[in-house]
Amino acid sequence: MPSFEEIEEYKTYLRRGNLTWEGSRMMLPEHKERIRISNERDHRKEKHELDPDELEQIGLVVMDALNHTHSVAINYWLDWDYHDVICYIVSVAKDQKQIKVELGNGECDYIQVDCLRSVAIL
């Protein structure tokens, strides 16, 4: 049977917690990468779902901008975040459900219709 002093010494040892390993603490590059990935996942934004009325309104604005060559501001979801772009609409591919846009620097890009959040004529 342990003595009272041995029990008190053991309790003190248990209260030290992580101090036993404090001197050998280190972080491997793999650990840093996993922490960075985990933090990025915490800041992800889920894609919204448009109701049919919103989708119809966006469709009207897109077709008006296409027919009259208006500049538009588009807010869309890509890579777990929302992005804004100012562009011209070049064409609408209804079968592929995407629109082709011409950016300010002359480059063309495609945006999926189900990723659109808003379209406004400038």
Side-chain angles (χ1 to χ4, degrees):
M1 177 116 181
S3 67
F4 179 75
E5 291 82 23
E6 290 174 336
I7 293 173
E8 287 301 314
E9 183 179 328
Y10 184 69
K11 285 182 181 179
T12 304
Y13 174 76
L14 290 178
R15 274 188 241 122
R16 287 180 45 184
N18 200 24
L19 294 178
T20 305
W21 306 104
E22 197 67 32
S24 64
R25 182 186 301 188
M26 66 178 187
M27 178 132 350
L28 295 174
E30 294 85 11
H31 296 157
K32 289 181 182 178
E33 182 66 18
R34 287 302 271 167
I35 289 171
R36 186 188 63 77
I37 290 171
S38 176
N39 288 340
E40 285 177 1
R41 285 186 183 150
D42 291 344
H43 293 94
R44 286 183 173 181
K45 296 178 182 171
E46 294 296 322
K47 185 170 79 167
H48 68 287
E49 294 295 326
L50 291 175
D51 64 22
D53 293 334
E54 291 174 324
L55 192 58
E56 182 179 351
Q57 183 64 31
I58 287 174
L60 292 173
V61 172
V62 166
M63 293 310 293
D64 186 37
L66 177 64
N67 292 332
H68 297 102
T69 320
H70 292 301
S71 177
V72 293
I74 298 177
N75 183 282
Y76 65 100
W77 182 84
L78 180 68
D79 296 330
W80 299 101
D81 200 8
Y82 287 100
H83 304 276
D84 292 314
V85 66
I86 295 175
C87 58
Y88 290 97
I89 296 176
V90 177
S91 65
V92 177
K94 293 180 183 178
D95 57 336
Q96 296 173 347
K97 295 183 180 178
Q98 62 186 7
I99 59 173
K100 182 178 181 181
V101 296
E102 182 181 337
L103 305 173
N105 55 7
E107 294 181 19
C108 290
D109 198 8
Y110 292 93
I111 300 175
Q112 297 295 322
V113 171
D114 62 345
C115 294
L116 292 174
R117 187 176 191 185
S118 67
V119 179
I121 294 177
L122 298 177

